[in-house]
């Protein structure tokens, strides 16, 4: 077995990979921000008093969770224009990945909301607190603590799923590595470096999530 690592190529391609890393982090961060907001909206909608709203949102979430992300990316980018919705590869990718993870985060939020003791809900009703204040001042802060581990897992997951955006031409890490490999007829260095970069990003991210969970528990006295 001939292991022939080229340090010359490594240093040559590193600037391109670092630029692609910035794009990957941007895509993951923006997609996750969409998912955080969308997931909370879906979770709250499934607790709505109006039955048809609960049913429609629940079925939509199940549909998103039951279909592959790559199909959803293709649908937003290639099918949406047939309905007059023309989006750039970046916008399509961020919308698809954000919507996909919104469905998963909605279940994480739902679990957190259900973990809040019933007495907290009853106390809010007893003092005639509005639904808005009940959720955003009392319930959601407590629900976040048990939800943080799941939210952290999906943050790492969304980071590792960003390579799927390459199928519509978004220049993230895997797209850059594949282009470099095709240009130089060498795939060992670019793909190995991509794996190392993902590892160096994912490991500290997981540690930060654990730190955040501990801080939240201490802050709420749990």
């Amino acid at each position: 077995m001939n292991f022939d690592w080229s340090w010359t190529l490594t240093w040559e391609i590193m600037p391109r990979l670092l630029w692609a890393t910035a794009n990957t982090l941007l895509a993951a961060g923006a997609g996750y921000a969409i998912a955080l907001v969308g997931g909370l909206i879906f979770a709250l909608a499934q607790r709505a008093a109006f039955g048809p709203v609960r049913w429609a949102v629940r079925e939509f979430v199940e549909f998103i969770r039951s279909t592959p992300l790559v199909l959803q990316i293709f649908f937003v980018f290639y099918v949406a224009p047939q309905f007059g919705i023309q989006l750039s590869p970046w916008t399509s990718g961020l919308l698809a990945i954000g919507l996909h993870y919104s469905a998963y985060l909605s279940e994480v939020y739902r679990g957190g909301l259900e973990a809040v003791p019933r007495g907290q809900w009853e106390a809010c009703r007893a003092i005639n607190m509005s639904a808005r204040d009940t959720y955003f001042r009392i319930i959601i802060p407590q629900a976040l603590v048990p939800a943080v581990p799941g939210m952290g897992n999906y943050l790492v997951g969304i980071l590792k799923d960003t390579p799927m955006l390459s199928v519509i031409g978004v220049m993230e890490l895997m797209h850059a590595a594949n282009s470099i490999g095709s240009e130089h007829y060498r795939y060992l260095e670019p793909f190995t470096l991509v794996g190392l970069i993902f590892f160096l990003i994912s490991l500290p991210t997981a540690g930060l999530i654990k730190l955040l969970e501990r801080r939240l528990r201490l802050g709420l006295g749990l």
Side-chain angles (χ1 to χ4, degrees):
M1 182 176 179
N2 183 23
F3 182 81
D4 182 21
W5 182 273
S6 173
W7 286 104
T8 301
L9 179 61
T10 298
W11 298 120
E12 179 184 342
I13 66 177
M14 189 58 71
R16 288 178 62 182
L17 290 180
L18 291 177
W19 179 78
T21 300
N23 281 344
T24 296
L25 292 174
L26 177 61
Y32 192 65
I34 294 171
L36 285 176
V37 176
L40 182 58
I41 292 172
F42 289 158
L44 295 179
Q46 291 185 72
R47 302 178 66 89
F50 190 50
V53 172
R54 292 201 309 271
W55 178 85
V57 173
R58 184 173 62 248
E59 293 305 314
F60 180 75
V61 167
E62 286 303 314
F63 175 78
I64 294 295
R65 284 161 50 90
S66 302
T67 53
L69 173 58
V70 67
L71 175 63
Q72 294 162 21
I73 293 172
F74 277 130
F75 190 92
V76 174
F77 186 64
Y78 291 110
V79 179
Q82 297 182 23
F83 297 92
I85 305 174
Q86 189 76 40
L87 301 173
S88 68
W90 262 103
T91 304
S92 298
L94 294 183
L95 181 60
I97 205 168
L99 186 62
H100 182 82
Y101 276 91
S102 291
Y104 286 94
L105 283 175
S106 70
E107 293 301 296
V108 174
Y109 284 129
R110 186 175 63 82
L113 291 170
E114 292 180 354
V116 177
R118 184 175 296 275
Q120 297 291 308
W121 299 89
E122 294 174 350
C124 291
R125 286 195 294 270
I127 61 175
N128 292 320
M129 185 174 286
S130 67
R132 176 188 175 89
D133 287 343
T134 296
Y135 274 109
F136 290 97
R137 295 181 59 183
I138 305 299
I139 302 302
I140 290 178
Q142 296 181 67
L144 285 177
V145 176
V148 163
M151 294 168 67
N153 289 338
Y154 286 124
L155 174 58
V156 176
I158 204 170
L159 177 66
K160 293 189 290 186
D161 274 348
T162 53
M164 292 192 186
L165 302 183
S166 64
V167 299
I168 55 173
V170 174
M171 185 58 71
E172 46 67 59
L173 267 171
M174 284 300 295
H175 192 288
N178 194 50
S179 297
I180 291 169
S182 300
E183 293 169 10
H184 295 272
Y185 300 101
R186 290 184 65 94
Y187 291 90
L188 172 63
E189 291 83 3
F191 284 134
T192 301
L193 290 171
V194 165
L196 181 61
I197 291 170
F198 271 115
F199 174 76
L200 292 176
I201 294 172
S202 299
L203 191 62
T205 300
L208 288 173
I209 293 297
K210 291 181 181 179
L211 178 61
L212 175 61
E213 181 184 3
R214 288 198 296 269
R215 290 290 180 87
L216 283 174
R217 288 186 179 278
L218 289 174
L220 292 175
L222 299 177

